[in-house]
Amino acid sequence: MTLVSSVLGSIVFLAIRNSVIKEIGIKEAGFLETITRISSYYMMFASTILTVYYLPKLAVAKDNFETKNTFWSYYKNILPLFIIGLTGIYFLRFFIVQLLFTKEFMPVTDLFFWQLVGDVLKVAFLILGFQFFAKKLTFAFIVFEITSLVVLYLSSIYLIQFFGIQGIVMAQAFDNLIYLLIVGFFFRKSLF
């Protein structure tokens, strides 16, 4: 499952980056890489908590009731903290970019809103995605992952034409919303 995500995900992200270079320019591709790096720093927080604390709980959950309690514990405790943290990051975005990069990277601040929206949606579906690993649902995971990557690629190519570089982060938010809805529907018995 990790192999599919890492290999196919890398190919899709490379194709999107190449499309940005071709359609808009290499400078904007650098802005996309910058917002992606910033996102990866705070996303480590959520993925670490999921891996260390919630994945073992999901793996030993004996029935839907235990799984439901684990899901809702995450949604009540971790997701609100993450949203508060990302709200702070949004308001500090100018400071963050100036601290980590040079003034030439200030256009990255325009990408924060959609990146943060997409990351909130991603953190919302991550625990559901970890259920694939906990219950060894390999085939379903691969189908969802490939579907997500196709949605991401097609929406990126479409939205870049109308919104430029911001279209890429909008596409990621859209893809994360679709993924959350589909996976939420798939695990609806464990959620509700």
Side-chain angles (χ1 to χ4, degrees):
M1 292 192 300
T2 304
L3 184 65
V4 168
S5 281
S6 59
V7 171
L8 291 181
S10 297
I11 290 169
V12 168
F13 287 118
L14 186 60
I16 290 170
R17 189 170 192 277
N18 287 341
S19 179
V20 169
I21 292 170
K22 181 181 167 190
E23 297 288 326
I24 307 172
I26 196 152
K27 188 175 178 183
E28 284 74 10
F31 297 154
L32 179 63
E33 182 65 27
T34 302
I35 194 70
T36 303
R37 293 257 174 122
I38 292 170
S39 172
S40 69
Y41 296 141
Y42 57 76
M43 288 301 290
M44 281 191 299
F45 167 74
S47 61
T48 300
I49 289 173
L50 276 163
T51 304
V52 173
Y53 184 74
Y54 286 98
L55 180 59
K57 284 182 161 272
L58 289 171
V60 299
K62 295 178 182 85
D63 55 29
N64 279 343
F65 181 74
E66 287 183 23
T67 302
K68 179 181 175 179
N69 285 340
T70 303
F71 284 158
W72 288 105
S73 166
Y74 174 81
Y75 287 129
K76 285 191 272 185
N77 298 313
I78 302 303
L79 189 59
L81 287 174
F82 195 75
I83 291 170
I84 290 167
L86 291 190
T87 302
I89 288 172
Y90 179 76
F91 288 113
L92 294 171
R93 68 190 184 278
F94 296 101
F95 173 74
I96 291 169
V97 171
Q98 286 179 339
L99 178 69
L100 299 176
F101 306 100
T102 62
K103 289 184 180 182
E104 288 79 29
F105 285 89
M106 288 311 285
V108 171
T109 58
D110 296 335
L111 304 178
F112 269 77
F113 178 78
W114 286 108
Q115 182 68 44
L116 297 175
V117 167
D119 288 340
V120 166
L121 294 167
K122 186 173 193 171
V123 168
F125 79 65
L126 271 179
I127 192 158
L128 300 173
F130 269 70
Q131 180 72 342
F132 289 115
F133 290 96
K135 300 303 178 194
K136 298 179 177 97
L137 301 169
T138 307
F139 181 75
F141 175 81
I142 290 171
V143 168
F144 286 125
E145 193 67 17
I146 289 172
T147 302
S148 173
L149 291 170
V150 168
V151 168
L152 176 62
Y153 178 75
L154 293 177
S155 59
S156 293
I157 298 306
Y158 179 75
L159 291 174
I160 197 173
Q161 297 172 13
F162 298 101
F163 301 102
I165 191 66
Q166 208 167 40
I168 303 299
V169 288
M170 293 168 86
Q172 290 173 346
F174 174 72
D175 175 51
N176 290 345
L177 174 63
I178 297 299
Y179 199 89
L180 175 63
L181 294 174
I182 291 173
V183 176
F185 180 78
F186 186 77
F187 290 119
R188 68 191 175 280
K189 290 180 183 173
S190 299
L191 271 172
F192 304 107

